[in-house]
Amino acid sequence: MKKTIAALGALLLMSGLVVQAQKSSVYVKAGLNLANISVNKDGQVDDSRTLPSFHAGLQADLPIGSFFAIQPGVFFTGKGSKLESGNTSGDNWYRVSTRPYYIEVPVNAIIKIPLGEDARFFVGAGPYAAIGVGGKNKVEGELFGVDFSRTQNIKFSDDDPFTSGEEGSGYGIMRRFDYGLNGTAGIEGKRALFSINYGLGLAKLQSGTSSSDDELNKHRVLSFTLGVKL
């Protein structure tokens, strides 16, 4: 009898897993990033430094019951910031932009609230980890009436965020590894979704020097995303 009950329990569990697997789905997602870098110990940013970029990738939706889901994903995403000083109509001004690109893997826990037959509001959060794969720094301006412009590739050191040893310095050499927290909210329908996301970087992004100024600089990214279910 006990064996029969155990067998039935295992069968029910397997059936539940199959049902959940059948309900799981994958989305192709892409959208706009408004990237920035924190400038003080409270993690605040200078709004004038916001840099537009983009993201694109895949996200799975793995239901746990009727109102919860786990959503792992993998994305190609742009981050960074810009800095401007002086009046571009004058003889002395400059503009600097840093555009690093990452492969990012977020894993969010999601709560879904039905809004109708085919629509649900969702909200959630979770961690992310990312690895730098490329990017460019661009400097342009005018000094005493003489124009200058320079573009160079961003270099990534192999410092991980947990070590005390550092290599290089400045935005020209960044730590390859980034990590942080995500928050997301949006609306999903039968075949598509729209979401607003915020990425709160926790890793110091610059490699080199242990000054207090460097310790302040971490990624901040506000994103607007459209997704289509495969």
Side-chain angles (χ1 to χ4, degrees):
M1 183 66 177
K2 290 183 179 180
K3 291 184 178 180
T4 302
I5 294 175
L8 288 173
L11 181 60
L12 288 173
L13 177 60
M14 293 178 62
S15 299
L17 291 174
V18 170
V19 169
Q20 294 300 323
Q22 290 174 342
K23 291 181 180 179
S24 65
S25 55
V26 175
Y27 287 86
V28 176
K29 301 178 70 176
L32 170 69
N33 287 352
L34 298 178
N36 214 322
I37 292 172
S38 59
V39 296
N40 63 26
K41 291 182 179 179
D42 296 327
Q44 295 178 346
V45 297
D46 184 341
D47 291 339
S48 66
R49 297 184 179 188
T50 300
L51 181 74
S53 190
F54 71 95
H55 62 276
L58 297 174
Q59 177 189 282
D61 184 89
L62 310 176
I64 302 176
S66 300
F67 303 102
F68 300 93
I70 300 297
Q71 293 184 341
V74 57
F75 293 90
F76 181 84
T77 186
K79 303 186 182 186
S81 185
K82 67 180 180 181
L83 175 64
E84 297 181 8
S85 179
N87 191 329
T88 56
S89 62
D91 292 334
N92 296 285
W93 63 274
Y94 69 89
R95 181 185 298 120
V96 181
S97 62
T98 181
R99 296 176 178 270
Y101 294 100
Y102 293 82
I103 300 297
E104 184 169 297
V105 179
V107 180
N108 293 326
I110 303 294
I111 299 173
K112 300 185 179 185
I113 302 172
L115 298 178
E117 184 177 351
D118 293 323
R120 287 186 289 184
F121 169 78
F122 63 87
V123 62
Y128 77 80
I131 182 170
V133 294
K136 292 184 179 295
N137 286 325
K138 183 176 181 180
V139 181
E140 57 184 339
E142 191 172 337
L143 180 63
F144 301 117
V146 179
D147 293 335
F148 63 89
S149 179
R150 183 181 66 182
T151 300
Q152 63 183 32
N153 294 330
I154 293 174
K155 296 180 181 179
F156 291 96
S157 77
D158 290 326
D159 294 345
D160 68 59
F162 306 102
T163 59
S164 58
E166 298 178 357
E167 305 169 7
S169 63
Y171 289 137
I173 301 178
M174 292 187 177
R175 284 187 169 181
R176 186 177 299 277
F177 303 100
D178 183 37
Y179 65 91
L181 300 174
N182 285 313
T184 185
I187 302 291
E188 70 172 19
K190 191 173 182 179
R191 299 295 304 172
L193 63 79
F194 170 78
S195 65
I196 299 174
N197 318 284
Y198 190 74
L200 181 73
L202 299 178
K204 170 184 169 182
L205 66 93
Q206 287 171 277
S207 179
T209 78
S210 57
S211 71
S212 59
D213 289 338
D214 271 353
E215 296 293 343
L216 307 180
N217 298 146
K218 299 172 183 179
H219 286 305
R220 303 287 186 264
V221 183
L222 176 65
S223 302
F224 301 89
T225 303
L226 290 175
V228 177
K229 184 184 293 186
L230 295 178

